Amino acid sequence: MEIRLEDMEDFARGAAFLGTGGGGDPYIGRLLAENAIKQYGAPKVITADELDDDANVLTAAMLGSPPVLLEKGCSGEDLDLAINRLEEKLGRKADAIMPIEIGGVNSTLPIMAAARLGLPLVDADGMGRAFPEIQMVTFSVYGCSATPLVITDEHLNSVVVETHDAKRAEDFVRAVAIQMGLSVMISAYPLTGKQVKDYAVHGTMSLALGIGQAIREGRLKENPVDRLIDYLRTTPYYNHAKVLFDGKVTDLKRETTRGFAIGHCHLEALDNSGRKMEVTFQNEHLVARENGEIRAIVPDLICMIDRETAEPVPVEHLRYGQRLKVIGTSAAPIMRTPEALEVFGPHKFGLDAEFTPIEELK
């Protein structure tokens, strides 16, 4: 499989949906990946099962506040440097690149990195969605170390972080990222092929492409939202999919604080029923409440899309008056285990609620 140049628009749109509001601007990420493919050729995409058990798999990602990325992009050299410095630290070259998350720009930057470095790209990631903090991946849940980890900026400064646990690494990296301008490149979680096989969420690059293709095909038939929901229900992870709300943005609070885009979005139903929804976010959408009742909550996915075109709308592009549909889907089973909820369940975001699977909610 290859992610070809002609696939990039569909792929980036699907990845924006899986970003659940975060993960960075997909348009910028798409342009960066397209430029790398034109210059170096499309990377080969392999399944996790094709990796040797002792393969050296490195990740490539942007970390920071998505609104900052709109003004402070990635040159490519900064991403190369992060991977090369980590190879030096490990004393071993990378055998493959993998996204740490499949949402937004962090699904397209690994394409850029793999193309530039001539390495295969693994069709998998560490969550099947996007999350705001380094420890919030399956690899952390099941004992894989986040470090050594390398951070780089556009001036090609670099910092190596080594800690005993992933949350501590997140705290250090967030502090360094603020000093570097709150949009940095990282390579973290050096993994063996066996660890990728055992703990990754498999097939998510293919699923992102499938979601984007479903939206495009739906637009040709004038029902992109229905086509999107139909496709999601055929997938192995996102099959509990439904429209949670159809409304207009009536209030929005979004601020960059503690290194995140934090806030909430209020919507009012378009059917004059008086129903209201609040969606709370920390880079990504965390919980959707209709008239105070939870309709979906992390780690299940909450995505806002244009109600006519099904275009995913990330947090940084939310605006007063937009007419949106809020979509909820189930997360991958490996993301819903008791061990996983201890790392990225509702309480880890300060929410006073327990996780309830979307299929059990109204």
Side-chain angles (χ1 to χ4, degrees), residues 22 27 46 50 88 97 104 107 117 139 184 247 272 289 298 316:
Y27 178 69
I46 62 174
E50 292 180 76
E88 291 173 8
I97 300 294
S107 61
L117 297 171
F139 311 123
V184 297
N272 296 319
R289 292 185 174 93
V298 286
E316 62 267 33

Side-chain angles (χ1 to χ4, degrees), residues 179-199:
Q179 291 298 316
M180 285 181 162
L182 208 48
S183 176
V184 297
M185 301 300 124
I186 67 167
S187 186
Y189 286 100
L191 299 163
T192 67
K194 180 74 163 55
Q195 288 172 321
V196 174
K197 293 174 187 176
D198 289 347
Y199 306 128

Side-chain angles (χ1 to χ4, degrees), residues 101-114:
E101 64 181 6
I102 196 60
V105 71
N106 278 338
S107 61
T108 51
L109 286 181
I111 297 174
M112 177 189 187

Side-chain angles (χ1 to χ4, degrees), residues 145-284:
S145 177
T147 66
L149 174 160
V150 177
I151 317 162
T152 60
D153 68 9
E154 72 275 21
H155 303 294
L156 303 185
N157 298 305
S158 64
V159 175
V160 177
V161 174
E162 292 183 276
T163 61
H164 296 296
D165 67 80
K167 180 62 174 71
R168 193 66 172 153
E170 161 66 25
D171 294 340
F172 284 152
V173 170
R174 195 66 53 175
V176 172
I178 290 171
Q179 291 298 316
M180 285 181 162
L182 208 48
S183 176
V184 297
M185 301 300 124
I186 67 167
S187 186
Y189 286 100
L191 299 163
T192 67
K194 180 74 163 55
Q195 288 172 321
V196 174
K197 293 174 187 176
D198 289 347
Y199 306 128
V201 181
H202 293 215
T204 47
M205 296 201 68
S206 299
L207 289 169
L209 180 59
I211 289 169
Q213 289 171 335
I215 293 172
R216 174 172 51 78
E217 291 165 3
R219 289 177 182 177
L220 296 175
K221 299 176 182 176
E222 298 183 351
N223 58 357
V225 177
D226 289 347
R227 179 70 185 92
L228 170 63
I229 296 292
D230 288 345
Y231 175 75
L232 291 169
R233 288 175 177 166
T234 68
T235 65
Y237 313 135
Y238 314 118
N239 47 10
H240 297 288
K242 55 187 172 184
V243 177
L244 301 176
F245 202 78
D246 183 6
K248 181 177 76 173
V249 177
T250 56
D251 188 31
L252 175 66
K253 179 182 180 182
R254 179 181 52 221
E255 58 186 11
T256 300
T257 183
R258 296 186 287 114
F260 303 102
I262 292 176
H264 60 249
C265 179
H266 289 179
L267 301 102
E268 188 168 313
L270 293 174
D271 59 4
N272 296 319
S273 63
R275 293 182 301 118
K276 296 180 180 179
M277 173 160 279
E278 179 189 43
V279 178
T280 303
F281 52 82
Q282 177 185 331
N283 285 7
E284 287 78 31

